[in-house]
Amino acid sequence: MYRTHTCGNLRLSDKNNVVTLAGWVQTVRKFGAITFVDLRDRYGITQLLFGEELTKQLDENPLGREYVLQAIGIVNERSNKNLNIPTGEIEIAVSSFSILNKSAVPPFTIQDDTDGGDDLRMKYRYLDLRRNAVKKNIELRYAVNRAARNYLHSQGFMDIETPFLIKSTPEGARDFVVPSRMNQGEFYALPQSPQTFKQLLMVSGYDRYYQIVKCFRDEDLRADRQPEFTQIDCEMAFVEQEDILNMFEGLVKSVFKDVKNIDYTESVQRMTWEDAMWNYGNDKPDIRFDIKLLNLKKPVTVYTDKSDNAVLINNADFKVFDEAETVIAISVPGCSEYSRKQTDELTEWVKRPQIGMKGLVFIKVNADGTYKSSVDKFYSEEKLKAIADAAGAKPGDLILILAGAEERTRKAISELRLEMAERLNLRKKDEYKLLWVVDFPLFEYDEESSRWVARHHPFTSPKPTHIDIMINNSQVIENAAEYLKHPYANIKANAYDMVLNGNEIGGGSIRIFQRTLQEKMFAALGMSAEEARHKFGFLLGAFEYGAPPHGGIAFGFDRLCAILGGSESIRDFIAFPKNNSGRDVMLDAPSAIDEKQMKELGIKIGS
Amino acid sequence: MYRTHTCGNLRLSDKNNVVTLAGWVQTVRKFGAITFVDLRDRYGITQLLFGEELTKQLDENPLGREYVLQAIGIVNERSNKNLNIPTGEIEIAVSSFSILNKSAVPPFTIQDDTDGGDDLRMKYRYLDLRRNAVKKNIELRYAVNRAARNYLHSQGFMDIETPFLIKSTPEGARDFVVPSRMNQGEFYALPQSPQTFKQLLMVSGYDRYYQIVKCFRDEDLRADRQPEFTQIDCEMAFVEQEDILNMFEGLVKSVFKDVKNIDYTESVQRMTWEDAMWNYGNDKPDIRFDIKLLNLKKPVTVYTDKSDNAVLINNADFKVFDEAETVIAISVPGCSEYSRKQTDELTEWVKRPQIGMKGLVFIKVNADGTYKSSVDKFYSEEKLKAIADAAGAKPGDLILILAGAEERTRKAISELRLEMAERLNLRKKDEYKLLWVVDFPLFEYDEESSRWVARHHPFTSPKPTHIDIMINNSQVIENAAEYLKHPYANIKANAYDMVLNGNEIGGGSIRIFQRTLQEKMFAALGMSAEEARHKFGFLLGAFEYGAPPHGGIAFGFDRLCAILGGSESIRDFIAFPKNNSGRDVMLDAPSAIDEKQMKELGIKIGS
């Protein structure tokens, strides 16, 4: 061993011991005839003191930043203590040392606030990983990994590895494929998830399965997507939805406790998808703050248990509202004193192309009980008060209203809600609020391909009470424009998402486990019986031999780590990430391969 | 939840409780008006008793094998106890039941001794996995996984995920490649191991890394090889070979303890590669038994510290020995009484094409102190005694001697040694004997491509005292036939294998960590400087910025599990294995993909 201790574990109690340390030179400071060196490793930083003799040696062979140094010496109490670091009370009086390796001057500084740009740090990722800011993330990732495994183990789950070289069955995202040399002209696919395998394991009787596993999707990369990503993938047999929700909120709470020492004792709120969309405008609401939407005009989308408040805005001759598909308001606490400049700025904000609205209506609910709005011309104070009351506004609040096409308006008000919360500092970094969103629609209609697609995936079960709607109706649609009137638009799934602070961190469903229902599902998605057999024959076959009721969930491991680490970007939590073009710029991959390799595989470039 | 208990956890202490079980119907036995059903799940089997009323219901809707059944009832004490199973003292008097799913008649019986052949069981792997014999293996695999993680965690190792979509740098085995859609004409490769990444992590300062990770090699599959396989992959910084050996024999001992409850307290023997080859004829000797080889003629291979015993056989005019490249003997305990039929049978055994020898010489060391051999004509009793003494033979032993070309003879005697031990029952199933083989040659000469190849891999360091031999000599060979005389043939590596009962279960090395030495190594392997930069520029670059001394090991996880499970075949320990043609016959993968997919990827079939 090149060391007796790490650079993080010597204390005053080690005084007078002779120790050997090894690590990287963080800084070299010469004071007259003596030299101080900060030596760094994964565990910390320890100060080394080189006396006059050794300093002369250093003059001849100077140490540079990031040199790898081994030093032997005695632990002394420091006269000038640094109580900001755990080793700050001691230093090593070096008696001998050895340079284990030299270092060129790094292309950027190995510090929290580095001078390296993104591209440079990605190219030299092995140096970027030395920075404390990145190291903390990688350590946190391992802590989450460990905590998740410990919880799942304690609950009787088994880690069972599923294959990576599988069959291409693109449904939704594109597969990465792998040409087979031994079976020329044929391809394996890399798994988009172990979905069908974990279901087979349930059929096989392994009633509690998990895996922390790489998955692959060949999609055009939006910001913060990776072609390979990691899931905490879980499945259980003989369970109903409620069992899964309880088991896996337990998982996340256990991770909170182990990793962040947070006691999350309250039970996790459950919210239907309809409630989430109605009250928050999206299916992953941040519920750390209490701003809800007020739907002033019923949207065309199917909401089975909602009614609007159109009476509040109708008959006012205000064309913008009258002609809009949707009108939605939020009440922002304590902003009634916004100046004209501020409301103008908000109006510009909603008009930005990313938001895409044409304007913003506001109502100030003044502290003195009066109302002032940008639509005073159309709405009396009485009417304004009625809207404000419906929105739950209190004196001092500011009501913001957007109007326009349904989807765009809903998204815009949802963004505006988050933006206002951000401005009011209601999205606290150290507050964690979980939420289950349940009862998602089973289907979405894809107008491009004129067919139903599975909102979650084709293995998700309808809610028990909705199975008959699926079985008793054909998927065929006479008039595509009216797909919302088709009975399938009403079917809710036994599916659930776990939301943390406005981010979807996991999602799953109770699965179909009967062959006939699964066949009906494939047919509903426009798959011929032959295609279904070709792609998923093994699963349909398995369902014939005693498949138990089962369901599961998958957590986005990268995202979960990022949120727990207080970051928006998953890339910071992946040791060797790819850039937005799917390239590893450090390796320079992908890259051309030899002619010989292609010949052996029986493939050619070209289309 | 569909159950209150599993089929494995009810005991007499649960008597009179009302419980709900769910599981698979193992057997149905009707006795007059009542019916017994054995209900099975992952945890065990519980007997259900259906009374007269419910039996009438069963008559109308009979239960079949593998039906999924939910049953509610009271726990009763059995009159006819089965003490072979933990639940054998109780049964459930069923009050109501529900068939959760039916099952077709399985294509083979779900029993330890199934009637299903290999192909059928692979096709219906989800049913094969239900069999107790397979389930035990999958459970053992998880136990090994868990034990390894716990040990490594306790030693400060961090699980850090490395990428799967990397760069193709074939060196040795063939890469599986993945065409890139976003970078057409370019390919990713799947990792043959995370070797370079774990070394980068050492450069980054994560001084104790591990991963239990899938690796991929596109090789023609010999029996019991899989195109995707799993490694326990580890690396440490600031260590020397001895540190690694100690750390990882600790790992295996910890697995023994946790998984098999074996206290392996003795320290693990270390043996040089030369000793292993010299004394056992191979580099992974089974040392559960004490038969060693006696080299009667010095082989041409480089052994730096060995001398032969040719004097014992020379000058006897026995052409077979005189003309052979190698002559090797073993002494088999207690077999001197072998009959002519038995020695003839052994002679036939070594003549089989798998062994390929031309004949077998034997010397019987009789209990009365006399000697009898098949070469009495050439060797006096005195000479036979000298050979027997050198072989350490005792009265009652049988000496077997093979002669021929070096490699074949060494392999043959090594096989014969194992075969005799097998016959004498010296390879005990429940005995585990670990061994470190160290000091492997750094290079092998590949006559086909007329170049040196790395025996372990190109990142392995020569022994410190041999670095100069490498640096000060060119790799060029004037006369290929005399490559054994080249100084490179003498260089030993800082490499080590862990051997368990005659199987290599892990291997690793201390790595090169200096750019110049690594460049010299690439050159020694016949790689141009340009090629080295293209393939491994990132690693050479990393070595410029303060790479610490480091080394590591990788265990073959599948093989380790198989040996601990007492099996020769790794396939039995993989949930969804591929067959010897690399096919998943359950999925029917690999398979053709759509024209559209190929077009998107910019590739075509053909060569």
Side-chain angles (χ1 to χ4, degrees):
Chain A
M1 204 75 88
Y2 284 81
R3 63 188 176 196
T4 57
H5 296 77
T6 72
C7 296
N9 58 15
L10 289 170
R11 299 287 183 278
L12 211 45
S13 54
D14 299 297
K15 196 173 156 179
N16 296 329
N17 288 341
V18 174
V19 299
T20 308
L21 298 186
W24 286 264
V25 172
Q26 178 81 14
T27 57
V28 179
R29 300 184 309 277
K30 203 173 161 188
F31 281 100
I34 60 167
T35 306
F36 292 102
V37 170
D38 276 352
L39 196 68
R40 187 197 70 231
D41 67 9
R42 172 181 148 199
Y43 308 92
I45 284 181
T46 298
Q47 180 167 295
L48 309 179
L49 169 63
F50 290 72
E52 291 194 23
E53 275 307 306
L54 292 181
T55 292
K56 276 181 204 155
Q57 288 184 35
L58 290 185
D59 286 343
E60 276 159 43
N61 282 301
L63 293 173
R65 275 200 285 143
E66 302 304 317
Y67 273 42
V68 185
L69 186 72
Q70 184 188 39
I72 302 175
I74 196 163
V75 181
N76 280 348
E77 186 166 357
R78 266 163 83 166
S79 51
N80 188 7
K81 292 184 183 170
N82 174 358
L83 297 180
N84 294 321
I85 60 171
T87 61
E89 295 193 275
I90 58 99
E91 67 190 5
I92 312 299
V94 177
S95 53
S96 70
F97 70 95
S98 158
I99 294 172
L100 299 176
N101 215 343
K102 294 188 174 187
S103 173
V105 176
F108 50 85
T109 55
I110 311 296
Q111 289 171 337
D112 280 13
D113 287 319
T114 182
D115 55 358
D118 213 45
D119 290 350
L120 204 59
R121 289 192 292 111
M122 282 302 128
K123 177 154 188 221
Y124 296 90
R125 181 64 168 174
Y126 45 84
L127 296 180
D128 199 32
L129 283 166
R130 281 189 195 162
R131 296 194 307 119
N132 201 46
V134 182
K135 193 194 71 177
K136 262 181 11 204
N137 296 344
I138 303 296
E139 287 178 338
L140 178 127
R141 186 180 175 106
Y142 176 52
V144 176
N145 178 322
R146 181 82 188 153
R149 287 184 188 279
N150 283 348
Y151 176 82
L152 292 165
H153 181 77
S154 76
Q155 298 296 321
F157 285 79
M158 279 170 66
D159 179 348
I160 303 177
E161 293 163 70
T162 53
F164 279 74
L165 297 173
I166 66 167
K167 182 174 181 153
S168 184
T169 55
E171 167 66 25
R174 259 185 231 95
D175 284 329
F176 280 107
V177 298
V178 181
S180 167
R181 182 181 55 84
M182 289 170 73
N183 305 273
Q184 294 215 347
E186 297 188 332
F187 294 77
Y188 301 100
L190 299 178
Q192 297 188 26
S193 92
Q195 182 62 35
T196 50
F197 293 99
K198 65 177 177 176
Q199 292 193 245
L200 290 181
L201 287 172
M202 295 306 109
V203 174
S204 299
Y206 298 77
D207 56 359
R208 295 188 171 194
Y209 145 94
Y210 86 97
Q211 219 182 162
I212 299 184
V213 64
K214 274 281 173 72
C215 303
F216 304 86
R217 279 181 207 171
D218 185 12
E219 290 301 295
D220 297 326
L221 299 171
R222 284 182 272 154
D224 218 31
R225 286 271 180 127
Q226 292 277 320
E228 50 176 310
F229 56 97
T230 305
Q231 279 185 189
I232 308 178
D233 191 53
C234 309
E235 196 82 1
M236 300 174 78
F238 299 117
V239 288
E240 289 159 307
Q241 176 168 307
E242 190 60 22
D243 305 311
I244 299 216
L245 301 191
N246 287 326
M247 178 63 73
F248 293 102
E249 66 183 70
L251 169 63
V252 177
K253 288 174 179 180
S254 187
V255 168
F256 280 158
K257 180 65 186 163
D258 290 1
V259 177
K260 311 283 289 184
N261 199 26
I262 292 170
D263 289 296
Y264 197 109
T265 49
E266 67 212 274
S267 71
V268 172
Q269 190 186 331
R270 284 110 204 252
M271 187 185 288
T272 65
W273 175 85
E274 290 199 2
D275 278 346
M277 297 301 283
W278 190 258
N279 292 319
Y280 301 96
N282 68 78
D283 57 7
K284 46 181 184 178
D286 186 344
I287 57 166
R288 281 177 294 183
F289 57 96
D290 194 31
I291 299 173
K292 287 206 183 92
L293 314 192
L294 174 66
N295 286 274
L296 288 166
K297 199 162 191 178
K298 180 156 186 161
V300 292
T301 302
V302 179
Y303 287 95
T304 55
D305 63 352
K306 306 294 174 199
S307 56
D308 62 39
N309 298 280
V311 63
L312 295 172
I313 54 166
N314 285 347
N315 307 317
D317 270 344
F318 182 41
K319 268 200 175 170
V320 173
F321 285 0
D322 288 348
E323 288 171 5
E325 211 171 65
T326 308
V327 180
I328 316 179
I330 55 172
S331 172
V332 185
C335 293
S336 69
E337 308 268 310
Y338 261 34
S339 64
R340 173 68 186 261
K341 195 178 157 199
Q342 283 175 297
T343 53
D344 281 355
E345 190 265 326
L346 276 185
T347 305
E348 287 314 306
W349 192 90
V350 302
K351 283 169 136 178
R352 294 180 316 146
Q354 302 95 304
I355 305 293
M357 300 306 293
K358 293 205 174 112
L360 174 72
V361 169
F362 66 83
I363 304 172
K364 292 178 174 174
V365 185
N366 296 321
D368 63 4
T370 62
Y371 296 86
K372 172 78 192 144
S373 89
S374 55
V375 288
D376 284 350
K377 210 162 70 172
F378 304 100
Y379 294 97
S380 64
E381 195 149 327
E382 191 183 352
K383 282 190 169 173
L384 295 177
K385 179 176 188 312
I387 295 172
D389 287 350
K394 292 183 297 294
D397 291 357
L398 174 69
I399 293 172
L400 303 174
I401 308 176
L402 296 178
E406 177 183 351
E407 199 181 332
R408 172 172 294 186
T409 306
R410 204 180 55 230
K411 281 188 179 160
I413 196 87
S414 168
E415 290 295 325
L416 183 61
R417 176 182 175 271
L418 292 177
E419 173 67 16
M420 295 311 296
E422 202 71 69
R423 293 180 183 204
L424 295 169
N425 198 25
L426 300 174
R427 306 188 75 186
K428 299 212 174 64
K429 275 236 166 193
D430 55 352
E431 189 184 1
Y432 294 95
K433 200 92 176 179
L434 292 165
L435 171 70
W436 283 113
V437 177
V438 299
D439 299 357
F440 281 82
L442 185 65
F443 294 109
E444 281 174 343
Y445 192 74
D446 180 32
E447 296 185 61
E448 210 173 297
S449 59
S450 305
R451 66 175 187 100
W452 297 102
V453 293
R455 193 188 162 91
H456 187 56
H457 57 47
F459 313 105
T460 294
S461 177
K463 295 209 86 62
T465 51
H466 290 183
I467 289 178
D468 281 349
I469 307 178
M470 189 165 129
I471 288 182
N472 297 333
N473 289 283
S474 157
Q475 71 276 11
V476 177
I477 288 182
E478 301 295 332
N479 181 354
E482 304 221 312
Y483 71 85
L484 284 167
K485 292 185 182 159
H486 188 282
Y488 277 21
N490 279 306
I491 301 179
K492 292 293 192 290
N494 248 340
Y496 32 82
D497 276 359
M498 184 174 253
V499 176
L500 173 57
N501 293 358
N503 300 278
E504 183 207 322
I505 57 167
S509 62
I510 296 295
R511 324 300 184 187
I512 295 169
F513 67 105
Q514 309 91 337
R515 177 170 182 142
T516 47
L517 186 58
Q518 187 65 65
E519 286 175 331
K520 176 73 187 176
M521 171 58 88
F522 288 142
L525 302 175
M527 219 183 273
S528 72
E530 195 199 23
E531 193 184 350
R533 259 199 311 278
H534 173 69
K535 285 184 172 172
F536 298 108
F538 60 96
L539 188 70
L540 294 171
F543 283 176
E544 286 200 65
Y545 294 101
H550 62 286
I553 194 166
F555 290 90
F557 184 57
D558 309 295
R559 170 90 38 218
L560 177 61
C561 293
I563 297 170
L564 291 175
S567 167
E568 294 282 302
S569 162
I570 64 171
R571 225 173 59 171
D572 299 341
F573 292 78
I574 297 171
F576 299 102
K578 293 185 174 52
N579 74 8
N580 284 343
S581 324
R583 291 201 75 81
D584 185 321
V585 294
M586 179 187 72
L587 299 181
D588 190 24
S591 59
I593 58 173
D594 295 349
E595 277 298 325
K596 180 173 165 247
Q597 282 175 280
M598 274 196 277
K599 217 178 171 99
E600 283 182 333
L601 294 171
I603 57 168
K604 287 193 291 195
I605 306 290
S607 55
Chain B
M1 205 75 90
Y2 283 82
R3 63 191 176 194
T4 58
H5 297 76
T6 72
C7 296
N9 58 13
L10 289 170
R11 299 287 183 276
L12 211 44
S13 54
D14 299 297
K15 196 172 156 180
N16 295 330
N17 288 344
V18 175
V19 299
T20 308
L21 298 186
W24 287 265
V25 172
Q26 179 81 13
T27 56
V28 179
R29 301 183 309 278
K30 202 171 160 189
F31 282 101
I34 61 167
T35 306
F36 292 103
V37 170
D38 276 353
L39 196 68
R40 187 197 71 233
D41 66 12
R42 171 182 150 199
Y43 309 91
I45 286 181
T46 298
Q47 179 166 298
L48 309 179
L49 169 63
F50 291 73
E52 290 194 24
E53 273 310 304
L54 293 181
T55 293
K56 275 181 204 154
Q57 287 183 33
L58 291 185
D59 286 343
E60 275 159 44
N61 283 300
L63 294 173
R65 276 200 286 143
E66 302 304 318
Y67 273 41
V68 185
L69 186 70
Q70 184 188 40
I72 301 174
I74 195 162
V75 181
N76 280 347
E77 185 166 358
R78 264 162 84 164
S79 50
N80 187 8
K81 291 184 183 169
N82 175 357
L83 297 181
N84 294 321
I85 60 171
T87 59
E89 295 193 273
I90 58 97
E91 67 190 4
I92 312 300
V94 177
S95 54
S96 70
F97 71 95
S98 155
I99 294 173
L100 299 176
N101 214 344
K102 294 189 173 187
S103 172
V105 176
F108 51 84
T109 56
I110 311 295
Q111 288 170 338
D112 280 11
D113 288 320
T114 181
D115 55 359
D118 214 43
D119 291 348
L120 204 59
R121 289 191 293 112
M122 282 303 127
K123 176 153 189 224
Y124 296 91
R125 182 63 168 174
Y126 45 86
L127 296 180
D128 198 31
L129 283 166
R130 280 188 195 165
R131 296 195 308 120
N132 200 46
V134 182
K135 192 194 72 178
K136 260 182 12 205
N137 297 344
I138 302 298
E139 286 177 340
L140 178 126
R141 185 180 177 106
Y142 176 53
V144 177
N145 178 322
R146 181 83 189 153
R149 288 183 187 279
N150 283 348
Y151 175 81
L152 291 165
H153 180 78
S154 77
Q155 299 294 321
F157 285 79
M158 277 170 66
D159 179 347
I160 303 176
E161 293 164 69
T162 53
F164 278 73
L165 297 173
I166 65 166
K167 182 172 179 154
S168 186
T169 56
E171 168 65 23
R174 258 184 231 97
D175 284 329
F176 280 106
V177 297
V178 181
S180 166
R181 180 180 55 84
M182 288 170 72
N183 305 274
Q184 294 215 347
E186 298 188 332
F187 293 77
Y188 301 99
L190 300 179
Q192 296 188 28
S193 90
Q195 181 62 35
T196 49
F197 293 98
K198 65 178 177 175
Q199 292 193 243
L200 291 181
L201 287 172
M202 295 306 108
V203 174
S204 300
Y206 297 77
D207 57 359
R208 296 188 170 194
Y209 144 93
Y210 86 97
Q211 216 181 166
I212 299 184
V213 64
K214 274 282 172 75
C215 303
F216 304 86
R217 279 181 205 171
D218 184 13
E219 290 302 292
D220 296 327
L221 299 171
R222 285 182 270 155
D224 218 30
R225 286 271 180 128
Q226 292 277 319
E228 52 176 310
F229 56 96
T230 305
Q231 279 184 191
I232 307 178
D233 192 53
C234 308
E235 196 82 0
M236 299 174 78
F238 298 117
V239 289
E240 290 160 305
Q241 177 168 305
E242 190 60 22
D243 305 313
I244 299 214
L245 302 191
N246 287 327
M247 178 62 74
F248 292 102
E249 65 185 70
L251 169 63
V252 177
K253 287 173 179 180
S254 188
V255 169
F256 279 158
K257 180 63 187 167
D258 289 1
V259 177
K260 309 282 290 184
N261 199 26
I262 292 171
D263 288 295
Y264 197 108
T265 49
E266 68 212 273
S267 71
V268 172
Q269 191 185 331
R270 285 110 204 254
M271 186 185 288
T272 64
W273 175 84
E274 289 199 2
D275 278 347
M277 297 301 282
W278 189 260
N279 291 321
Y280 301 96
N282 68 79
D283 58 7
K284 47 180 184 180
D286 186 343
I287 56 166
R288 280 177 295 183
F289 56 96
D290 193 31
I291 299 173
K292 287 206 181 89
L293 315 192
L294 173 66
N295 286 273
L296 289 166
K297 199 161 193 179
K298 180 153 186 165
V300 291
T301 301
V302 180
Y303 286 94
T304 54
D305 64 349
K306 304 296 175 195
S307 57
D308 62 36
N309 297 279
V311 63
L312 296 171
I313 54 166
N314 285 348
N315 307 316
D317 270 346
F318 182 42
K319 272 202 174 167
V320 173
F321 284 0
D322 289 348
E323 289 171 3
E325 210 172 65
T326 309
V327 181
I328 315 178
I330 54 172
S331 172
V332 186
C335 292
S336 69
E337 308 268 308
Y338 260 34
S339 65
R340 172 67 185 263
K341 193 177 156 200
Q342 284 175 297
T343 53
D344 281 356
E345 189 265 330
L346 276 185
T347 305
E348 287 313 307
W349 192 89
V350 301
K351 284 169 140 178
R352 293 179 318 146
Q354 303 95 304
I355 305 294
M357 300 306 294
K358 292 206 173 114
L360 175 73
V361 169
F362 65 84
I363 305 174
K364 291 177 173 174
V365 185
N366 296 320
D368 62 4
T370 63
Y371 296 83
K372 171 78 192 145
S373 89
S374 55
V375 287
D376 284 349
K377 212 161 71 175
F378 304 99
Y379 293 98
S380 64
E381 195 148 325
E382 193 183 349
K383 284 192 166 171
L384 293 177
K385 180 177 186 314
I387 295 173
D389 287 349
K394 291 182 298 295
D397 289 356
L398 173 69
I399 292 172
L400 302 174
I401 308 177
L402 296 178
E406 178 183 351
E407 198 182 333
R408 173 173 294 186
T409 307
R410 204 181 56 232
K411 280 189 178 160
I413 197 85
S414 170
E415 290 294 326
L416 183 61
R417 176 182 176 272
L418 292 178
E419 172 68 17
M420 295 312 294
E422 200 71 69
R423 291 180 186 202
L424 295 168
N425 198 25
L426 299 174
R427 307 188 74 187
K428 298 210 176 64
K429 275 237 165 192
D430 54 353
E431 190 183 359
Y432 294 95
K433 200 92 174 178
L434 292 167
L435 171 70
W436 284 114
V437 177
V438 299
D439 298 356
F440 281 83
L442 186 65
F443 294 109
E444 282 174 343
Y445 192 75
D446 181 32
E447 299 186 61
E448 211 172 296
S449 60
S450 305
R451 66 174 186 102
W452 297 103
V453 294
R455 196 190 159 88
H456 186 55
H457 58 47
F459 313 105
T460 294
S461 176
K463 293 208 90 60
T465 50
H466 290 184
I467 289 178
D468 282 348
I469 308 179
M470 190 166 128
I471 287 182
N472 298 331
N473 288 283
S474 155
Q475 71 277 8
V476 176
I477 288 181
E478 301 295 329
N479 180 354
E482 304 219 314
Y483 71 87
L484 284 169
K485 293 185 182 158
H486 189 283
Y488 276 21
N490 279 306
I491 302 179
K492 292 294 194 291
N494 248 342
Y496 31 82
D497 276 358
M498 184 173 255
V499 176
L500 174 57
N501 292 358
N503 300 280
E504 182 208 323
I505 58 167
S509 63
I510 297 294
R511 324 299 184 187
I512 295 169
F513 68 104
Q514 308 90 339
R515 178 170 181 142
T516 47
L517 187 58
Q518 187 65 66
E519 285 175 332
K520 177 75 188 174
M521 171 57 90
F522 287 142
L525 302 176
M527 222 184 271
S528 72
E530 193 199 23
E531 193 183 349
R533 259 199 312 277
H534 173 70
K535 284 184 173 173
F536 298 109
F538 60 96
L539 188 69
L540 294 171
F543 284 175
E544 287 201 64
Y545 293 102
H550 62 285
I553 194 167
F555 289 90
F557 184 58
D558 308 298
R559 169 90 39 219
L560 178 61
C561 294
I563 296 170
L564 291 175
S567 168
E568 295 282 303
S569 163
I570 64 171
R571 222 173 61 173
D572 299 342
F573 292 78
I574 297 171
F576 299 103
K578 294 187 174 47
N579 72 10
N580 284 343
S581 324
R583 291 200 74 82
D584 184 322
V585 294
M586 179 187 73
L587 298 181
D588 191 23
S591 59
I593 59 172
D594 294 350
E595 277 299 326
K596 180 174 164 247
Q597 280 175 283
M598 276 195 277
K599 217 176 171 99
E600 284 182 332
L601 295 170
I603 57 169
K604 287 193 291 192
I605 305 291
S607 55

